[in-house]
Amino acid sequence: MDKYRLVEEKYIGAHGFIEENIDTEIGRSRAHIGGSDAPCIVRITPQAKPRSCITTAMNMLGGGKKHVELRAMGKAINKAVTIAEILKRKMPLHQITTLSSCEIVNVYEPLEEGLDTVVNQHYVSCLTIFLSTDSSGMDIHNIGYQPPLPVSEMQPGDFNANTGKMLAAS
């Protein structure tokens, strides 16, 4: 492909997974904090450090937010699942998981005359994990719903399950 250059890259069906301006902060987990009812979003990429994503989500939940959304695409999906399981073991969280896919279309233009334009099209899996401290507003009959873990399965850490309060990180 050294005789071609990328001229266009389209993400079809990836709304919320890919920012409009792709050049900003690629490879970092980002948080979008909306209104009081809007969920906080943590985008997980293959380059993101799991600990920073966990800390970001814990700070959102500890700061008064009731919902956190973890979003990942492709190779970052297993990291998102691991992060969600760690968060669920630190505090009682309701979970709804949804899977989808998006289409990525790359258009390459030839650098030499006589060659045709190449269009590369492939699909990537997308995962959204919605975590909430309470079940109000959640569809508990959703096929992707998981109730909180019992207190006996939670590990001590940043959250005290007996009092329901966040502990200061040391």
Side-chain angles (χ1 to χ4, degrees):
M1 295 292 294
D2 57 333
K3 297 182 181 185
Y4 291 90
R5 68 180 174 104
L6 180 66
V7 292
E8 185 178 6
E9 189 170 34
K10 294 183 200 173
Y11 293 91
I12 302 167
H15 179 68
F17 289 93
I18 300 292
E19 301 263 355
E20 293 300 320
N21 185 1
I22 297 172
D23 295 333
T24 60
E25 296 187 58
I26 289 182
R28 295 184 179 202
S29 63
R30 297 177 296 280
H32 168 65
I33 301 175
S36 61
D37 294 337
C40 297
I41 299 170
V42 179
R43 289 183 180 87
I44 299 167
T45 63
Q47 296 85 13
K49 301 282 187 231
R51 187 66 199 157
S52 65
C53 296
I54 292 166
T55 303
T56 301
M58 291 289 288
N59 288 340
M60 289 177 189
L61 291 169
K65 298 291 184 180
K66 294 184 179 181
H67 310 289
V68 169
E69 232 177 84
L70 304 177
R71 293 185 181 177
M73 292 176 63
K75 294 179 180 180
I77 287 177
N78 61 344
K79 188 180 288 188
V81 171
T82 302
I83 290 168
E85 289 301 318
I86 291 170
L87 288 170
K88 284 177 62 176
R89 280 167 175 69
K90 291 191 174 285
M91 60 178 21
L93 294 171
H94 298 266
Q95 174 181 339
I96 293 181
T97 304
T98 56
L99 287 170
S100 61
S101 65
C102 70
E103 179 181 6
I104 300 176
V105 179
N106 296 325
V107 179
Y108 296 93
E109 209 173 66
L111 296 174
E112 297 177 0
E113 289 192 31
L115 298 173
D116 293 332
T117 301
V118 175
V119 177
N120 182 7
Q121 169 184 356
H122 60 281
Y123 292 89
V124 176
S125 299
C126 303
L127 175 75
T128 301
I129 301 174
F130 187 79
L131 299 169
S132 177
T133 55
D134 60 358
S135 63
S136 63
M138 293 186 78
D139 181 13
I140 62 171
H141 300 295
N142 185 314
I143 195 151
Y145 174 75
Q146 293 180 22
L149 295 172
V151 176
S152 62
E153 290 185 28
M154 290 187 193
Q155 300 170 354
D158 302 330
F159 183 79
N160 186 345
N162 295 329
T163 63
K165 303 249 185 220
M166 296 290 292
L167 297 177
S170 54

